Amino acid sequence: MGNPTERIADTTVPIQPLIASRWSPRNFDPDADLAPETLTALLEAGRWAASWGKRFPVRYIVGRRGDATYAALADVLNRGNSYAKVAAALVLVSTDLGDDDNTAVYATVDTGLAIAQLGVEARSHGLHTHPMAGFRVDEASAVFNIPENVRPIAVVAIGSVLDSYEGAEESTVERDHAPRQRPALSDIAFAERWGNAYGG
C-alpha cells in the first residue's frame, strides 16, 4: 500500500518540495507533541501572507491538544472530521468581511493565502495540516463570541502523521491512500482567451 506521508505531487515541472509534499492527511498521531514555538511559527507564516488593501482581516482561535480551546473546537467539528480530534492542534481561521461585498471577497482570498502559508510552514517542520470546512459555523461563532461581521472559514488540524494505518478506520485508509489528483494544467491555465491552453 505504501506510505502516504511520502506522496509527492505529480507536476509538469519541478516545484518547491515543501509545496509538492503538502497534502491533507487524516491519520494524525494522537501522541505527537507540538511545541508552542513551532505552532507560533505556523501562525506567523499565516500572518505574513499577502493581504488586499493592507486590511489584514484574518483571525485565529488556537487550541493545543489538552486545553479548553482545543476541546471546544473539536466539539464543533462535523462527524466526518472526527479524525482531527487527535491532531496536536486545531486552529479556527476566520476573516473580517468588512462593510461591502467587494471587501468580503478579498477578505476570503486573504484567508486562503494565510491557510496556504501556514500549511507550507508546517511542512518545513515535518508537520501536516488539514483545513476543514466541515464544522458548525454558527455554533463556533457563539462558543467563541466571534463578532457578527467576522466569518469562520475553516478549522485547520495540525500535527504529525502516523506511518502505520493499522487500526485506522477503513474510510481513512482509503482516502489517505487514494491517488493525489488535480486537473491538468492545460485545463485551468489559458492564454489569449478562455479555454485556449497555456503552453508553458
Side-chain angles (χ1 to χ4, degrees):
M1 186 179 293
N3 181 356
T5 62
E6 298 173 356
R7 297 188 306 170
I8 303 298
D10 181 16
T11 58
T12 54
V13 297
I15 64 171
Q16 160 58 239
L18 295 176
I19 298 173
S21 68
R22 190 226 63 80
W23 65 290
S24 300
R26 294 166 180 82
N27 197 34
F28 286 102
D29 186 342
D31 299 317
D33 193 24
L34 177 59
E37 59 270 23
T38 302
L39 180 53
T40 299
L42 272 59
L43 299 172
E44 283 285 10
R47 183 170 77 99
W48 284 97
S51 181
W52 174 74
K54 299 186 182 295
R55 285 195 67 243
F56 312 115
V58 180
R59 301 291 182 268
Y60 304 114
I61 292 179
V62 184
R64 294 179 69 232
R65 190 195 307 116
D67 69 23
T69 304
Y70 184 103
L73 287 169
D75 281 346
V76 301
L77 292 176
N78 292 349
R79 185 170 61 180
N81 289 327
S82 59
Y83 62 84
K85 295 183 178 183
V86 298
L90 294 173
V91 177
L92 175 62
V93 186
S94 301
T95 194
D96 183 333
L97 296 173
D99 299 324
D100 56 74
D101 290 345
N102 192 51
T103 302
V105 166
Y106 287 101
T108 56
V109 171
D110 286 1
T111 306
L113 290 168
I115 291 171
Q117 287 198 185
L118 187 155
V120 172
E121 181 68 20
R123 292 301 302 129
S124 78
H125 295 273
L127 302 168
H128 282 277
T129 58
H130 192 138
M132 299 168 287
F135 69 101
R136 297 182 294 283
V137 173
D138 291 343
E139 187 176 335
S141 294
V143 167
F144 295 108
N145 197 30
I146 296 172
E148 189 173 334
N149 65 321
V150 176
R151 169 78 179 181
I153 299 294
V155 177
V156 181
I158 303 167
S160 300
V161 176
L162 291 168
D163 290 340
S164 172
Y165 278 69
E166 184 177 353
E169 291 187 10
E170 184 176 342
S171 61
T172 294
V173 176
E174 290 177 0
R175 294 169 82 178
D176 278 15
H177 288 82
R180 297 186 63 191
Q181 296 179 332
R182 290 292 190 275
L185 192 61
S186 59
D187 291 336
I188 64 170
F190 310 131
E192 296 180 1
R193 65 185 182 280
W194 188 271
N196 188 53
Y198 166 74

